[in-house]
Amino acid sequence: MNIAYFKDMDSLYIEISPENPAQSWEAHKGIVLNLSEDGRVVGIEIEQASQAANLDILKIGGFPGQIEIIDKNTSGSTH
């Protein structure tokens, strides 16, 4: 899973699965779900993200305790 904020477009994208979506569906104004061929959600886009959420508190990492990173290229590691 990846999270990216595109400041120039004020768009927050949450990639749930690294695959190209087959279709998109606007679930709510400014909230777009990207769907796989079989209907699974593979990504979520939040347009005008700075107006929809407080990005000042957006944290990537820095969580308390150990975080397990699962990488299909390795057997998994703990950080």
Side-chain angles (χ1 to χ4, degrees):
M1 180 183 301
N2 292 304
I3 299 173
Y5 176 64
F6 301 96
K7 188 174 185 174
D8 60 329
M9 298 185 304
D10 192 20
S11 176
L12 183 70
Y13 189 73
I14 303 165
E15 179 189 66
I16 296 170
S17 178
E19 55 189 281
N20 291 327
Q23 57 186 328
S24 295
W25 174 61
E26 187 169 22
H28 186 69
K29 185 177 178 10
I31 309 293
V32 178
L33 303 180
N34 289 329
L35 307 171
S36 67
E37 190 69 40
D38 61 357
R40 291 176 295 107
V41 176
V42 296
I44 302 168
E45 181 179 348
I46 302 172
E47 300 169 350
Q48 299 178 341
S50 65
Q51 295 175 21
N54 182 356
L55 297 179
D56 292 336
I57 60 172
L58 176 65
K59 287 186 178 183
I60 308 289
F63 300 101
Q66 289 189 338
I67 298 173
E68 184 174 350
I69 298 173
I70 301 171
D71 184 341
K72 66 181 178 181
N73 296 319
T74 65
S75 62
S77 61
T78 304
H79 295 272

